Amino acid sequence: AARPAGTDDRTDDRAGDPGYALVRLQVVRTALRASPSRRRGTRRKRAGLPTLPPPLPQVWGLRLFPRSGGADELALEQRLSALSGPARAAWVLRGLERLSDDDVRAVLTDAGAADAAGALCEADRVPAEDRLLGSPEFDPCSLQARPTDLVRRRRRLKAALAAGTALVVCGALFGLPDDGWGPDGAAAPPYALNRAAQAALDPGKLTRVSPAVWKTSARTDFSVWPARGDLAGDAGLLRRALAVWARPGERVRVSATPGTPSGGPAGPPQLLYAGAVDNARVVILHDGLRIARYAEPVDGAEGAALDFARVDGADRAGASALVLGRSDGNVRYLTAPWVRAAGARDLREPDADAADLSLTGGVTSPLAGPAPKPGSCASWNVLELTDDAGTRLMTDLGELVPAVLTAGRPGADRETAGAEVSRTWSPFACSLASMRSAGVRSVNAWVFAEQPLPDASDADGGSPRPEGGGGSAAWVCTRAETWRGGGTRVQAQFHTPGGPSGVVAAQAEDVPQCGEQEPRVLAGVLWKSGAGTWYLLAAGSRGTTSVTATGGVEGTAQGNLLTLETEQGAQADLEGTLENGEPVTGLR
């Protein structure tokens, strides 16, 4: 729309051409609209933000820009850049189009300028430069073309080719019938392909142990369990289990005992079981460190479950059973190949005989799980297993591996026989509920002291608190060991004659007391006799020569028992002395 450079005729025939005037108006209007965008682009550059692409003309692979001028042209361009958009348009319309001020005002007004008169006044600040307006720098029809950055173009082309190749390869992998999304069930899409990962996902490479290996092996743990179950040959089920283990999808419910990693197997794991259990298809795998249980609905509904439990260092007792499934409050177990018989026993009824459970391929018939109602604990069902080494009790604490129950002094030969352990545990069975979902490996109960109760003549006293009258109370220390080593829980419990359950007098976590490293313990409790008198009763384990109370209650007793009359709500600190002179503090 601009007049070609070097034209001196100011009154050619285009001056009155309506078409030319319309084109000129459109150019001015476009320039005024683009001016704010350029200022926004300048602000975006200053802020470090990406700018919009330049307006047309654009040529792919080339950069177009006007020819450069001399020092005079650069000085004029700097002066013009200080003007507003309408003022620059007025200056060019005057100098290049040779329009009068009235015509310039009319063109600016039609183009949308808000203050055409102000633009003319602002344009007066820059004197007319007819010679410079005719230079090539200010000729819009004279442009130079140069190629863009060739190095950057090659780098971008290589990146685009690499991205396209990766997209094609991934699309091909997702479409393969054996490695795609469908056969893997609830597993997420593959994220890595290497030989170790592929071997871990191959059902044909699963480790399967012969049924007779455990009879001659020096180890008696999960590594010698044979592969069992009516679906042990179902390659599709095993593949889904392995794929979900390696990369569980969003619909998979994943749980793990504390301290148990939930990542995929490093290599082909060992198959322990694959079969239908109640309304689910279950696969149990072992990788030397963990037990992984995969379960999917039999009816083909969406959703799967993946549970992990740490079992490294398992011995014969700890590797005796696994939880196959829970349904309607019942539990089914998969027992070790050395287990000859299984039964159910109620810890709260120690004198009752154990009920027999059938074993089919190592799987027990359903056993009612230990699920006491809040505020009451009338029963606590446990699993009793019999093998060549004797009998042992195991309890379900909400995890894959049931915890072994024992009784006796730490470091000594502990009782494992079902009836004997049940008698020791009977008043304290309900305290096992506080150890659920903690990765517990075994729980031992140790009767470390018996204490005569004051006011023995009143045999009918008693209340819901650790109080009563007559006879002797039993002090029992229970210690829960975990598979990960840390997180042990110690409880000192107090049980009076005729009381339904023991009362937790003190508890602590990650302490050596009541364990093989320190088979000693000291604890106390406030107790109300049948006559209404409050006492501080304290007891230490064997080897304690004196017990001292300080604080709210003051007193010392020789031996391992302390009885002091006190008031309700009193608080005291306990400290004892052992035979070797070492101190022992009260469990808290």
Side-chain angles (χ1 to χ4, degrees):
R3 190 180 307 277
T7 302
D8 295 329
D9 188 3
R10 303 183 181 183
T11 57
D12 62 14
D13 55 356
R14 289 182 295 180
D17 185 359
Y20 179 80
L22 179 62
V23 172
R24 179 175 56 201
L25 177 62
Q26 187 64 31
V27 170
V28 174
R29 181 181 290 120
T30 303
L32 292 180
R33 289 177 179 176
S35 180
S37 300
R38 287 197 295 270
R39 290 198 297 272
R40 285 195 300 268
T42 302
R43 289 195 297 269
R44 293 174 67 89
K45 288 182 179 179
R46 291 174 181 174
L49 300 176
T51 58
L52 298 176
L56 294 177
Q58 295 186 55
V59 179
W60 182 263
L62 294 177
R63 295 178 56 196
L64 300 179
F65 52 93
R67 295 180 179 275
S68 60
D72 294 338
E73 287 85 353
L74 179 60
L76 176 60
E77 184 177 356
Q78 291 177 345
R79 291 196 297 271
L80 290 177
S81 64
L83 301 180
S84 64
R88 288 196 301 272
W91 192 91
V92 171
L93 290 174
R94 274 177 174 175
L96 192 61
E97 291 294 306
R98 308 298 185 183
L99 297 181
S100 64
D101 287 355
D102 293 339
D103 293 337
V104 170
R105 190 181 296 106
V107 172
L108 292 179
T109 301
D110 293 342
D115 186 7
L120 283 170
C121 293
E122 186 179 357
D124 291 337
R125 297 204 302 253
V126 179
E129 297 284 354
D130 294 345
R131 179 181 60 82
L132 296 180
L133 284 178
S135 65
E137 182 179 4
F138 291 95
D139 185 0
C141 299
S142 178
L143 298 176
Q144 285 184 317
R146 287 183 181 176
T148 57
D149 190 339
L150 297 179
V151 176
R152 183 178 299 175
R153 285 169 57 183
R154 286 195 294 267
R155 187 163 56 245
R156 290 178 177 176
L157 180 59
K158 291 180 180 179
L161 290 176
T165 303
L167 182 61
V168 171
V169 171
C170 293
L173 290 176
F174 290 152
L176 291 177
D178 293 335
D179 295 321
W181 166 255
D184 291 346
Y191 58 85
L193 294 176
N194 55 62
R195 290 186 177 181
Q198 291 299 97
L201 298 178
D202 187 355
K205 296 185 181 300
L206 284 173
T207 301
R208 298 171 184 259
V209 177
S210 172
V213 167
W214 68 272
K215 297 180 180 179
T216 58
S217 174
R219 302 177 59 177
T220 50
D221 54 15
F222 293 107
S223 65
V224 296
W225 277 33
R228 289 171 287 181
D230 55 351
L231 298 179
D234 190 336
L237 173 63
L238 298 179
R239 174 178 177 76
R240 291 193 297 274
L242 292 170
V244 171
W245 184 359
R247 48 182 198 281
E250 296 180 354
R251 302 190 305 270
V252 179
R253 300 184 302 275
V254 181
S255 67
T257 57
T260 305
S262 58
Q270 176 187 355
L271 176 63
L272 303 185
Y273 180 85
V277 181
D278 297 324
N279 296 321
R281 286 185 287 265
V282 176
V283 178
I284 296 183
L285 302 165
H286 176 232
D287 69 349
L289 172 67
R290 302 165 290 173
I291 293 292
R293 176 185 178 272
Y294 168 81
E296 64 180 24
V298 173
D299 57 8
E302 289 189 357
L306 185 63
D307 305 309
F308 295 94
R310 186 171 173 175
V311 294
D312 52 317
D315 54 10
R316 185 185 184 98
S320 293
L322 292 173
V323 173
L324 269 185
R326 300 180 179 89
S327 178
D328 300 327
N330 297 323
V331 186
R332 287 185 185 270
Y333 294 92
L334 177 66
T335 61
W338 52 82
V339 172
R340 294 188 285 105
R345 183 180 289 275
D346 185 358
L347 283 185
R348 302 288 288 158
E349 299 290 340
D351 296 327
D353 295 333
D356 293 335
L357 296 176
S358 63
L359 281 177
T360 305
V363 180
T364 67
S365 54
L367 165 65
K373 296 180 180 179
S376 65
C377 183
S379 65
W380 189 277
N381 296 325
V382 296
L383 176 67
E384 183 177 84
L385 300 178
T386 303
D387 57 26
D388 294 338
T391 62
R392 62 180 53 90
L393 295 182
M394 308 187 78
T395 182
D396 176 23
L397 295 181
E399 298 172 343
L400 283 179
V401 184
V404 179
L405 298 180
T406 59
R409 179 181 175 84
D413 293 336
R414 303 179 188 180
E415 292 286 348
T416 59
E420 296 300 326
V421 174
S422 182
R423 291 189 182 92
T424 303
W425 271 102
S426 179
F428 314 103
C430 299
S431 66
L432 291 168
S434 64
M435 304 172 189
R436 290 181 182 272
S437 303
V440 174
R441 177 176 186 167
S442 63
V443 191
N444 182 63
W446 171 34
V447 182
F448 67 90
E450 290 190 359
Q451 185 169 21
L453 295 173
D455 298 340
S457 59
D458 185 1
D460 296 329
S463 74
R465 293 185 60 81
E467 47 197 42
S472 297
W475 284 94
V476 172
C477 177
T478 60
R479 181 180 178 91
E481 301 284 356
T482 65
W483 287 98
R484 64 188 183 278
T488 56
R489 179 171 299 179
V490 177
Q491 294 181 337
Q493 303 193 47
F494 181 77
H495 180 236
T496 57
S501 300
V503 176
V504 177
Q507 62 180 359
E509 292 188 3
D510 291 323
V511 295
Q513 287 92 332
C514 196
E516 294 187 8
Q517 293 184 357
E518 288 192 19
R520 59 192 184 189
V521 65
L522 173 64
V525 68
L526 288 179
W527 177 81
K528 181 181 178 182
S529 70
T533 305
W534 284 90
Y535 292 90
L536 170 64
L537 303 180
S541 55
R542 186 178 62 187
T544 304
T545 59
S546 66
V547 179
T548 300
T550 58
V553 185
E554 301 283 345
T556 300
Q558 298 301 312
N560 68 328
L561 302 177
L562 173 69
T563 302
L564 296 175
E565 187 174 338
T566 185
E567 297 179 353
Q568 181 180 3
Q571 297 183 357
D573 294 325
L574 297 176
E575 183 173 345
T577 304
L578 301 177
E579 293 176 344
N580 58 7
E582 293 184 1
V584 56
T585 58
L587 190 68
R588 293 182 178 274

